[in-house]
Amino acid sequence: MPKKISDLKKALEQEKDIHTDFRESMTYGEYLSLDQILSSQKRLSGHHDEMLFIIIHQVSELWMKLILHELRSSIEDIGKDDMQPAFKKLARVSKIQSQIIQAWDVLSTMTPAEYLEFRDSLGRASGFQSYQYRLIEFALGYKSEAILKIYEKDPDVHRELQEAYRAPGLYDAAIGALAREGFPINPELINRDYTVVYAGDPTVAAAWEEVYRDVGRYWDLYQLAEKMVDVEDWLQQWRFRHMKTVERIIGFKKGTGGSSGVGYLRQVLDHRFFPELWDLRTTL
């Protein structure tokens, strides 16, 4: 018997308390509903690489679910001036984003010829329709009413998106924190129409600049700002890797959902979620 197998057998024999009878107990697989998760990869073409395509997107959606869980809770924390838990959650969001970015590296192992073998099986289905990605954009303040029409097929999803469309986002919560700290923030920004994409305000710019010029006095707000910059930075890196992976696999073809594909993905790279936090790098 090989030494490694022998050592493993010996180690297992020494673990006298390992449970082996689960007739009356919950198993690991049951806790995680693995039977449902692992039976959800249904290839429509039968092509080998379609499994890769499905799993990459399913894993990304699971990570996005966790991002939303953390972002929503962070917004609540900031609204209560409970900053430390918000910092922890926003730092976690950044780590999750790094995982999603690495997923594109795996997907890029698929060649254009391989993708063409099953692309038609997708019909009009596309990552462009990811409602969780839209919820993340909404939570970060990037909103479009026109996009809501895509989700009318599912009333529950459509309702959730409509609520998020009208709700304050992460930056709105941060601006509220600036106001509560005593900065003379434009009152029109407090309880504003959150369906309007925020485009910047001189009172917010002045407040953040003062925070960065007196870090010791405004340490919590400074940390909050840097955590938000991390989130936006990682999101833009995710968008860039998405764009380059799409270009690598389908070039400049239209997406299956009807978007311009790489053209659309390049366009959204120009949007900034927290404009004053980037501008002050120049003005400081």
Side-chain angles (χ1 to χ4, degrees), residues 52 56 101-110 241 245 249:
L52 164 67
I56 287 292
I101 290 168
Q102 291 179 27
W104 293 120
D105 295 335
V106 182
L107 187 60
S108 67
T109 63
M110 182 172 63
R241 287 297 296 126
T245 303
I249 296 175

Side-chain angles (χ1 to χ4, degrees), residues 53-68:
F53 189 83
I54 292 170
I55 288 177
I56 287 292
H57 287 84
Q58 287 181 338
V59 168
S60 294
E61 290 292 336
L62 284 172
W63 280 130
M64 283 191 275
K65 182 173 183 176
L66 184 55
I67 287 174
L68 285 167

Side-chain angles (χ1 to χ4, degrees), residues 5 7 41 50 65 113 129 140 144 167-168 170 192-193 212 215 220 222 225 237 242-243 246 282:
I5 296 176
D7 289 346
Q41 296 74 45
E50 191 179 357
K65 182 173 183 176
Q129 298 146 17
L140 298 179
S144 169
L170 178 62
R192 69 184 182 89
D193 179 359
Y212 274 72
V215 170
D220 277 358
Y222 172 71
Q237 291 186 54
H242 183 189
M243 179 195 72
V246 170
T282 303

Side-chain angles (χ1 to χ4, degrees), residues 89-102:
K89 293 162 188 172
L90 292 174
R92 182 176 292 159
V93 167
S94 295
K95 292 297 184 181
I96 298 165
Q97 289 172 304
S98 72
Q99 294 296 308
I100 298 181
I101 290 168
Q102 291 179 27

Side-chain angles (χ1 to χ4, degrees), residues 129-136 138 147-148 150-151 155-167:
Q129 298 146 17
S130 168
Y131 76 87
Q132 290 198 122
Y133 179 71
R134 298 303 171 192
L135 287 169
I136 291 171
F138 286 4
I147 209 75
L148 295 174
I150 294 173
Y151 308 98
D156 291 336
V157 168
H158 191 245
R159 189 179 307 109
E160 183 178 2
L161 281 158
Q162 285 180 316
E163 290 174 0
Y165 178 66
R166 298 185 180 92

Side-chain angles (χ1 to χ4, degrees), residues 192-226:
R192 69 184 182 89
D193 179 359
Y194 299 116
T195 66
V196 178
V197 176
Y198 179 79
D201 185 276
T203 63
V204 174
W208 283 127
E209 185 168 339
E210 186 172 343
V211 167
Y212 274 72
R213 290 191 184 279
D214 196 348
V215 170
R217 181 179 178 183
Y218 301 113
W219 180 249
D220 277 358
L221 289 170
Y222 172 71
Q223 286 192 88
L224 174 61
E226 286 297 294

Side-chain angles (χ1 to χ4, degrees), residues 121-276:
S121 300
L122 274 63
R124 295 181 177 178
S126 166
F128 185 84
Q129 298 146 17
S130 168
Y131 76 87
Q132 290 198 122
Y133 179 71
R134 298 303 171 192
L135 287 169
I136 291 171
E137 286 189 327
F138 286 4
L140 298 179
Y142 185 55
K143 300 179 179 182
S144 169
E145 186 175 17
I147 209 75
L148 295 174
K149 188 171 179 59
I150 294 173
Y151 308 98
E152 290 177 348
K153 180 178 181 179
D154 188 327
D156 291 336
V157 168
H158 191 245
R159 189 179 307 109
E160 183 178 2
L161 281 158
Q162 285 180 316
E163 290 174 0
Y165 178 66
R166 298 185 180 92
L170 178 62
Y171 203 44
D172 297 305
I175 291 171
L178 289 171
R180 290 190 299 276
E181 184 65 27
F183 290 103
I185 298 298
N186 180 355
E188 294 181 2
L189 296 179
I190 309 302
N191 298 320
R192 69 184 182 89
D193 179 359
Y194 299 116
T195 66
V196 178
V197 176
Y198 179 79
D201 185 276
T203 63
V204 174
W208 283 127
E209 185 168 339
E210 186 172 343
V211 167
Y212 274 72
R213 290 191 184 279
D214 196 348
V215 170
R217 181 179 178 183
Y218 301 113
W219 180 249
D220 277 358
L221 289 170
Y222 172 71
Q223 286 192 88
L224 174 61
E226 286 297 294
K227 290 291 187 292
M228 291 192 296
V229 168
D230 286 342
V231 169
E232 178 165 351
D233 190 348
W234 281 109
L235 182 67
Q236 293 294 48
Q237 291 186 54
W238 183 91
R239 283 174 158 180
F240 180 78
R241 287 297 296 126
H242 183 189
M243 179 195 72
K244 295 307 293 183
T245 303
V246 170
E247 183 178 357
R248 176 172 177 156
I249 296 175
I250 68 167
F252 288 84
K253 295 186 184 74
K254 276 191 173 185
T256 49
S259 76
S260 59
V262 170
Y264 171 80
L265 296 173
R266 280 185 173 173
Q267 179 183 335
V268 297
L269 278 172
D270 292 332
H271 176 76
R272 297 190 302 172
F273 294 93
F274 316 132
E276 290 90 358

